[in-house]
Amino acid sequence: MIMRRTFLLVLSLIAVMFCGRAGNLPEAEIRVRGIGDFCDPGLHSRIAGTFLQKGAGAPDIILQKSKLYGLGCLWYSFVKYDEGIPVFKLSGEVALPKEAAGCTVQFRQKESDLYAFWVVKTGKLYAALRSGGEKTFRILKTWPTPAGVSLGALLPDISGNGTIDLYFTEHDKTSIRPGDWRSADYRPYDATGVFRGGLSACSLWHASCSLDGDVISEAVRISEPEAIPGDVSGMDCLELEGRKGIFVGNQHGGFYWFILTPDGKAVKTRIVDAKDNAMRHPTVTPMPVAYVQKNAIGVLAIGEGGVFYMKYVKPSAKEGKYTFEDPVSARELNPALNAGGLVTPTIVDWDGDGKLDLVVGNSAGFILFFRNTGSDRAPSFGRPEYLTTDGRPIHIQPGYGEDVQGPSESRWGYIGANVYDWNEDGILDILTNDSRGKHSVFLGSKDGLQAEHPIYLGDLALHGTWRCRPGVGKLAGRTVYITLDDDDEFHLYFREDDYDLIEGYKLRLEDGRTICANWLEAGGKGRVRFDIVDWDGDGVKDLIIATNKHNRIPAQDEDGLPWGLPDKLKGATILFMRNVGTEAAPAYKKPAQLRYKGELLRFGHHACGASAGYIGKITDGLPNLVVGDETGTLYLLERRYLSWD
């Protein structure tokens, strides 16, 4: 038997407005005219169900936002196909009974009816129904949950006779973070480089109940123990080749299909690509749902970094495997421009056509190029291109041993990308810091970007705290590189050659103090995104700083920003640090938080990124800002609406 414990649901559901994105600036969102990549309205949203309208060629989807964004349920209608890929349009909110507040909700369709299921912390499973043309759900039934079942990822499946199969996962309780992971002396790896904690796994379980009954049956494990590596991020029922099964995604991006056998077991099979190689989601923590259309079977898998569509092809040539086409971004009609998660944009003419484009790094470890098909004053962007080296997309991932928080974050790249002609050959280069704490340069050439190359200081790879976007540019005629050093303080280095830096100095306030980034320890350090720009037009370059919620700039022992703000105002934001010295000897005023139309800027919890440039309507000859929030949505903040104290 599984260990006895009560139900635990992590997400909550409250009513929100459509504008409940990270920054709450819908009027400043850069929008795609026509078809663009699907824009996830909240970090770690999940597709909670599908619904096939009568006569439609493909189902609508119901998306539940994550806890950070209010967990509202949004309805996206299927519009059409674009190159064989489904296109959706946001069409409304889904109203649920008040009893569903604070709960993860699963939706299931039976004919014209839509069922909703959720579990409350007090230990009840709820079923609600919206029949036919009804607009609201009515509660049908509640069941006390059996002791000892956590339903780590609940999947209800209702049959025509009212029987409800409950598929769920159970975690093996392995700790993915040994010790206090916020302690200054936290060490996830031992002296040999082996992780001190355990590598977790999950198994599949089954129970059942009935709309006519009052109890849930005893839970039974139906898969092998520890059948799924890591945590399960999501799953759904899927029928392939006349066989019913459970399609599962895990935190590492892996996909498995468990065939349900007549004797009540679930037999694991692997999902593969056209070359019979194991398929993985392009981003992080995929939550798959079956997407069954008239002429195709597929899966929609949302993760941190986008919604991707995978079309089923056929059984693999190798026994026990099933072939899908490579994941491609699902699409949306007139969406907000989205580049993944925790994005770091740069305004730059990447393709040399005389118009300013956007190059953006994201948390999945990709670098995306958005071509401007409009003009600098009225930019227009569509679907992105993934930047490549040697014909393959750049995809930074730390793997088992290179993430400071351990292998549970093996798929997060957190690439902070800046674009600059680093070697002054007339071709743009890309400079990065990432989840590995590595500083790298991708030199440009007439044949495209060269492979990643380390940046050195004193014959060692440059080191410091992680997940920064380096500030790159010229000060007093010298090319400089600004990032956080080992003390988590602002530090300037000088370029020596293509791959080497010369020691510079710590940046300081006008009173001579060094500038600190964070109060959190361990993996809470770093996470600052620098932009070097003459922001106030006085002829001396300043710093624009994009933060996360926990930065405390300029010092830990005072009310640094943004953590020193009242709780309701805390959040990732944009700071202006005015250089009151010279470019040869910079000295900075304490940071001032930017305001948009008089309101302090907030862009979620984890991170935001910003780049200053002359795109959009220009006021007084001064640059505007493009900001990316943690959900990946990109905003154009025009100077005429910006102010600071």
Side-chain angles (χ1 to χ4, degrees):
M1 285 293 296
I2 52 181
M3 289 186 65
R4 297 295 178 187
R5 69 181 189 260
T6 59
F7 281 92
L8 176 64
L9 262 291
V10 179
L11 303 179
S12 62
L13 176 67
I14 59 175
V16 293
M17 298 296 291
F18 283 152
C19 63
R21 299 189 188 276
N24 275 332
L25 295 175
E27 73 275 16
E29 291 176 348
I30 302 174
R31 306 215 50 104
V32 177
R33 302 185 189 100
I35 295 173
D37 283 356
F38 194 100
C39 179
D40 182 353
L43 194 68
H44 299 157
S45 300
R46 45 183 292 277
I47 300 174
T50 64
F51 190 90
L52 182 63
Q53 303 282 3
K54 185 177 180 179
D60 300 342
I61 60 175
I62 308 167
L63 183 145
Q64 184 174 23
K65 293 191 285 187
S66 63
K67 183 177 181 180
L68 290 172
Y69 300 101
L71 276 170
C73 289
L74 306 178
W75 193 288
Y76 287 82
S77 299
F78 170 76
V79 177
K80 62 178 181 179
Y81 288 101
D82 179 48
E83 300 175 333
I85 301 163
V87 180
F88 301 96
K89 179 181 180 180
L90 179 61
S91 59
E93 288 193 77
V94 179
L96 287 165
K98 64 181 185 301
E99 290 84 355
C103 300
T104 300
V105 181
Q106 294 281 359
F107 297 93
R108 311 300 292 184
Q109 180 182 6
K110 287 298 175 184
E111 298 179 346
S112 62
D113 293 337
L114 183 63
Y115 290 83
F117 297 88
W118 66 90
V119 176
V120 298
K121 291 182 179 180
T122 54
K124 284 185 179 180
L125 170 66
Y126 278 76
L129 173 65
R130 193 181 79 176
S131 294
E134 293 178 352
K135 299 297 183 183
T136 59
F137 283 87
R138 54 187 171 86
I139 294 174
L140 288 178
K141 189 80 176 179
T142 64
W143 300 266
T145 56
V149 179
S150 70
L151 297 187
L154 172 64
L155 173 60
D157 186 38
I158 183 168
S159 67
N161 62 9
T163 298
I164 303 168
D165 289 300
L166 300 173
Y167 300 101
F168 58 95
T169 61
E170 281 292 311
H171 194 274
D172 66 2
K173 320 296 190 302
T174 301
S175 172
I176 62 171
R177 289 189 175 122
D180 181 3
W181 69 296
R182 288 304 193 199
S183 170
D185 60 358
Y186 177 66
R187 298 290 184 273
Y189 305 96
D190 67 17
T192 67
V194 175
F195 182 51
R196 293 178 185 272
L199 300 179
S200 62
C202 293
S203 53
L204 270 177
W205 292 70
H206 173 263
S208 64
C209 56
S210 170
L211 290 175
D212 297 327
D214 297 321
V215 296
I216 297 175
S217 71
E218 182 178 355
V220 177
R221 180 170 55 80
I222 59 175
S223 74
E224 294 295 322
E226 303 179 356
I228 307 160
D231 287 334
V232 170
S233 48
M235 60 184 186
D236 197 9
C237 294
L238 178 66
E239 187 172 308
L240 298 176
E241 307 299 327
R243 308 177 79 176
K244 185 176 180 179
I246 309 296
F247 195 101
V248 175
N250 72 8
Q251 70 184 93
H252 304 302
F255 291 119
Y256 300 90
W257 187 52
F258 286 82
I259 299 172
L260 299 175
T261 64
D263 60 355
K265 300 297 183 182
V267 179
K268 183 170 71 173
T269 64
R270 196 66 193 259
I271 301 304
V272 298
D273 62 19
K275 296 181 179 179
D276 276 333
N277 294 318
M279 181 83 75
R280 290 178 179 85
H281 195 270
T283 67
V284 184
T285 60
M287 291 168 268
V289 297
Y291 195 71
V292 181
Q293 307 130 82
K294 285 186 176 179
N295 300 314
I297 297 173
V299 168
L300 284 170
I302 187 170
E304 183 179 313
V307 181
F308 289 81
Y309 173 67
M310 304 160 51
K311 184 179 179 181
Y312 173 64
V313 180
K314 60 184 178 181
S316 167
K318 296 183 178 179
E319 186 177 353
K321 297 182 179 181
Y322 289 79
T323 304
F324 282 73
E325 293 181 357
D326 289 340
V328 291
S329 291
R331 298 179 185 173
E332 186 180 346
L333 191 62
N334 303 319
L337 193 68
N338 190 280
L342 284 65
V343 294
T344 56
T346 301
I347 303 168
V348 65
D349 179 10
W350 179 253
D351 57 4
D353 66 355
K355 294 181 289 189
L356 291 171
D357 310 301
L358 298 175
V359 173
V360 188
N362 66 25
S363 63
F366 295 109
I367 305 177
L368 280 62
F369 162 48
F370 292 88
R371 188 188 310 275
N372 183 359
T373 58
S375 65
D376 286 351
R377 300 291 76 80
S380 179
F381 303 98
R383 302 188 60 246
E385 301 173 27
Y386 286 74
L387 294 187
T388 64
T389 60
D390 298 325
R392 295 174 59 86
I394 296 168
H395 196 185
I396 302 300
Q397 297 175 97
Y400 172 85
E402 291 191 288
D403 191 286
V404 301
Q405 296 183 151
S408 65
E409 298 212 2
S410 66
R411 292 293 306 278
W412 272 272
Y414 295 128
I415 190 164
N418 203 338
V419 183
Y420 192 76
D421 184 3
W422 179 247
N423 57 1
E424 299 185 350
D425 64 353
I427 302 174
L428 292 170
D429 313 301
I430 298 180
L431 299 104
T432 65
N433 181 234
D434 55 44
S435 64
R436 307 166 299 175
K438 292 185 176 181
H439 294 265
S440 305
V441 59
F442 297 81
L443 290 177
S445 73
K446 61 181 178 60
D447 298 319
L449 287 171
Q450 297 178 24
E452 173 190 22
H453 195 290
I455 295 175
Y456 295 98
L457 177 70
D459 296 325
L460 283 177
L462 178 65
H463 44 91
T465 50
W466 69 332
R467 292 172 61 172
C468 294
R469 176 191 189 254
V472 188
K474 283 192 181 295
L475 292 179
R478 298 184 70 180
T479 301
V480 300
Y481 189 96
I482 296 174
T483 188
L484 295 177
D485 60 21
D486 290 350
D487 299 319
D488 204 39
E489 294 183 336
F490 291 26
H491 204 115
L492 178 148
Y493 305 90
F494 296 101
R495 178 188 182 276
E496 180 179 18
D497 56 38
D498 290 358
Y499 308 121
D500 295 271
L501 299 174
I502 300 171
E503 176 60 60
Y505 45 81
K506 289 179 183 284
L507 297 178
R508 296 179 183 270
L509 297 174
E510 56 184 331
D511 63 9
R513 287 183 297 157
T514 57
I515 305 168
C516 184
N518 292 279
W519 65 272
L520 276 178
E521 299 291 349
K525 298 294 186 186
R527 306 169 185 246
V528 171
R529 294 138 202 98
F530 296 89
D531 203 45
I532 302 172
V533 61
D534 180 7
W535 181 249
D536 55 4
D538 65 356
V540 179
K541 292 189 181 74
D542 313 296
L543 291 178
I544 290 292
I545 306 294
T547 79
N548 68 70
K549 178 180 179 179
H550 295 100
N551 286 136
R552 196 166 194 166
I553 302 169
Q556 297 184 35
D557 58 354
E558 60 183 61
D559 290 334
L561 295 174
W563 187 253
L565 294 168
D567 284 347
K568 67 178 182 179
L569 297 177
K570 286 184 173 78
T573 193
I574 311 297
L575 306 178
F576 166 45
M577 296 190 70
R578 185 176 178 229
N579 183 0
V580 294
T582 65
E583 291 192 1
Y588 296 93
K589 293 186 72 67
K590 287 185 178 181
Q593 187 175 6
L594 294 191
R595 297 175 181 268
Y596 183 83
K597 295 184 178 180
E599 299 294 327
L600 290 174
L601 289 171
R602 287 171 289 158
F603 292 98
H605 175 101
H606 293 85
C608 63
S611 177
Y614 291 87
I615 193 167
K617 296 178 181 178
I618 303 302
T619 302
D620 299 329
L622 296 172
N624 296 323
L625 276 181
V626 168
V627 176
D629 67 24
E630 69 180 2
T631 73
T633 298
L634 293 161
Y635 303 81
L636 175 56
L637 306 184
E638 293 184 349
R639 188 58 168 257
R640 54 184 169 156
Y641 300 126
L642 294 173
S643 61
W644 55 92
D645 297 330

mmCIF file with all atom_site columns, all heavy atoms in Angstrom, residues 38 307 477:
data_model
loop_
_atom_site.group_PDB
_atom_site.id
_atom_site.type_symbol
_atom_site.label_atom_id
_atom_site.label_alt_id
_atom_site.label_comp_id
_atom_site.label_asym_id
_atom_site.label_entity_id
_atom_site.label_seq_id
_atom_site.pdbx_PDB_ins_code
_atom_site.Cartn_x
_atom_site.Cartn_y
_atom_site.Cartn_z
_atom_site.occupancy
_atom_site.B_iso_or_equiv
_atom_site.pdbx_formal_charge
_atom_site.auth_seq_id
_atom_site.auth_comp_id
_atom_site.auth_asym_id
_atom_site.auth_atom_id
_atom_site.pdbx_PDB_model_num
ATOM 1  N N   . PHE A 1 38  ? 1.517  30.578 -29.863 1.00 0.00 ? 38  PHE A N   1
ATOM 2  C CA  . PHE A 1 38  ? 0.588  30.647 -28.735 1.00 0.00 ? 38  PHE A CA  1
ATOM 3  C C   . PHE A 1 38  ? 1.261  31.373 -27.570 1.00 0.00 ? 38  PHE A C   1
ATOM 4  O O   . PHE A 1 38  ? 2.394  31.071 -27.196 1.00 0.00 ? 38  PHE A O   1
ATOM 5  C CB  . PHE A 1 38  ? 0.174  29.249 -28.315 1.00 0.00 ? 38  PHE A CB  1
ATOM 6  C CG  . PHE A 1 38  ? -1.022 29.200 -27.400 1.00 0.00 ? 38  PHE A CG  1
ATOM 7  C CD1 . PHE A 1 38  ? -2.279 28.908 -27.902 1.00 0.00 ? 38  PHE A CD1 1
ATOM 8  C CD2 . PHE A 1 38  ? -0.899 29.448 -26.051 1.00 0.00 ? 38  PHE A CD2 1
ATOM 9  C CE1 . PHE A 1 38  ? -3.387 28.856 -27.073 1.00 0.00 ? 38  PHE A CE1 1
ATOM 10 C CE2 . PHE A 1 38  ? -1.993 29.402 -25.201 1.00 0.00 ? 38  PHE A CE2 1
ATOM 11 C CZ  . PHE A 1 38  ? -3.247 29.112 -25.722 1.00 0.00 ? 38  PHE A CZ  1
ATOM 12 N N   . VAL A 1 307 ? 3.564  26.367 -25.898 1.00 0.00 ? 307 VAL A N   1
ATOM 13 C CA  . VAL A 1 307 ? 2.649  25.264 -26.156 1.00 0.00 ? 307 VAL A CA  1
ATOM 14 C C   . VAL A 1 307 ? 3.075  24.624 -27.470 1.00 0.00 ? 307 VAL A C   1
ATOM 15 O O   . VAL A 1 307 ? 3.174  25.299 -28.492 1.00 0.00 ? 307 VAL A O   1
ATOM 16 C CB  . VAL A 1 307 ? 1.187  25.754 -26.263 1.00 0.00 ? 307 VAL A CB  1
ATOM 17 C CG1 . VAL A 1 307 ? 0.249  24.583 -26.507 1.00 0.00 ? 307 VAL A CG1 1
ATOM 18 C CG2 . VAL A 1 307 ? 0.784  26.509 -25.004 1.00 0.00 ? 307 VAL A CG2 1
ATOM 19 N N   . GLY A 1 477 ? 35.257 54.965 -24.734 1.00 0.00 ? 477 GLY A N   1
ATOM 20 C CA  . GLY A 1 477 ? 35.948 54.415 -25.889 1.00 0.00 ? 477 GLY A CA  1
ATOM 21 C C   . GLY A 1 477 ? 36.450 52.998 -25.733 1.00 0.00 ? 477 GLY A C   1
ATOM 22 O O   . GLY A 1 477 ? 36.997 52.433 -26.685 1.00 0.00 ? 477 GLY A O   1
#
